[in-house]
Amino acid sequence: IRGRVIDPGAPPNRSAWVSLTPKGGTGNSMGYPSMMMPEGNFEIAGVPPGSYTLVARRSNDGGGMISSSNPPVQYAAAQAIEIADKHVDGITLTVTASKDVQGKFLMEGNTTIDLRSAQVMTMSVDGMNFGQSSTRGIEGTSFTLKNVPPGRSTVNVMGGLMNGYVKSIQYGGHEIPADGVDLTTGAALEIVVSPEGARLDGKVVNAAGEPLARGLVSLLATDAQGVTAPTPPIAMTDRNGEFRFAMLRPGEYQVYGWEAVDQNSVQTAE
């Protein structure tokens, strides 16, 4: 694969670099590195046929504290590419800066949204080196995600909503798919919250049929809408082995009971 990176704002000795990530890869995927040459030209050799994302990026943090709520400014470009049985030449990647993305919560009905423990988080799926941005402590219903990189990102709401569940996460009026969407095009980011959440009550017993106190219970969405669900929720059983989940998105779930397990390990689909 051969092409050129156009990065008009690059300072001396800080040029963009290019990598190739298999489709479905994440920001942690190393992918295929490139050979960078003068004038922004690049070449990536030995790529088998398949679907990929070609990414050029440059970081310019400008100093200061870096975190998910204050990520560095990134300069990047991303392009989907299909590799068959021929070389690919003449690709041009034009680097642009990451952008602040404005978003808003919308509540169905007349209920006021309680966002005190909610956190909105994005994650790049195009192999960006620092592809995560988040915001918490939301005042009102509007929020800002800082320095979201170009290319596809997913959006999730972490933490509990006190009086609703996340029904839909839309960008430009369309549901954000599992493989993400470019959030830097200026369209509206809207998170729809419904007060009509479901409740699930149950009981956990051990192998002897006795109530399991202080056990962990986790839920994993198994239907198609689960792609917009936050981190799998967990609950702890009381002394009678009973548990309760409130404000769940209606749908299909698998329920897991754990007698002894690390809490962090039950909050992922794996």
Side-chain angles (χ1 to χ4, degrees):
I1 303 173
R2 299 184 184 92
R4 183 187 179 198
V5 178
I6 299 177
D7 187 6
N13 302 320
R14 187 178 284 183
S15 59
W17 62 283
V18 178
S19 65
L20 189 71
T21 303
K23 187 176 181 180
T26 68
N28 296 322
S29 299
M30 293 301 294
Y32 297 84
S34 64
M35 177 183 296
M36 300 301 297
M37 294 172 283
E39 305 298 327
N41 295 307
F42 66 88
E43 177 177 316
I44 304 176
V47 181
S51 301
Y52 298 88
T53 301
L54 191 62
V55 174
R57 63 178 179 265
R58 164 175 63 86
S59 182
N60 181 24
D61 55 54
M65 183 66 70
I66 296 174
S67 66
S68 60
S69 59
N70 185 36
V73 176
Q74 289 192 89
Y75 297 84
Q79 180 177 322
I81 185 171
E82 295 289 330
I83 303 299
D85 57 351
K86 297 180 180 179
H87 300 312
V88 177
D89 293 289
I91 291 178
T92 300
L93 296 173
T94 302
V95 171
T96 59
S98 55
K99 298 178 181 179
D100 292 350
V101 175
Q102 309 297 323
K104 187 174 184 179
F105 280 87
L106 303 176
M107 189 69 163
E108 292 185 337
N110 297 320
T111 307
T112 301
I113 312 175
D114 189 341
L115 301 174
R116 289 175 295 177
S117 60
Q119 178 183 9
V120 181
M121 178 176 292
T122 71
M123 180 62 70
S124 169
V125 297
D126 278 339
M128 300 299 176
N129 188 38
F130 199 100
Q132 177 177 304
S133 179
S134 67
T135 183
R136 65 177 68 195
I138 301 170
E139 297 290 339
T141 58
S142 299
F143 58 89
T144 301
L145 296 165
K146 303 288 290 184
N147 291 329
V148 176
R152 298 170 302 152
S153 293
T154 58
V155 180
N156 276 308
V157 179
M158 314 293 287
L161 293 171
M162 303 301 293
N163 56 342
Y165 74 93
V166 176
K167 182 177 181 179
S168 176
I169 302 179
Q170 301 180 6
Y171 186 73
H174 300 283
E175 190 76 15
I176 296 178
D179 58 353
V181 69
D182 188 348
L183 298 172
T184 64
T185 62
L189 173 60
E190 297 177 330
I191 300 175
V192 181
V193 177
S194 171
E196 303 296 329
R199 193 180 80 181
L200 174 65
D201 297 305
K203 184 175 183 178
V204 181
V205 297
N206 59 22
E210 301 168 336
L212 179 64
R214 298 187 62 80
L216 286 180
V217 181
S218 62
L219 293 180
L220 177 64
T222 57
D223 55 4
Q225 294 186 41
V227 298
T228 61
T231 301
I234 62 172
M236 181 174 288
T237 59
D238 61 18
R239 62 182 181 179
N240 298 315
E242 296 177 346
F243 64 88
R244 170 175 292 179
F245 290 95
M247 284 301 170
L248 294 174
R249 177 187 58 81
E252 298 178 2
Y253 295 84
Q254 286 183 333
V255 186
Y256 296 89
W258 310 87
E259 184 170 6
V261 68
D262 175 58
Q263 179 171 326
N264 292 328
S265 67
V266 304
Q267 289 189 293
T268 64
E270 291 77 10

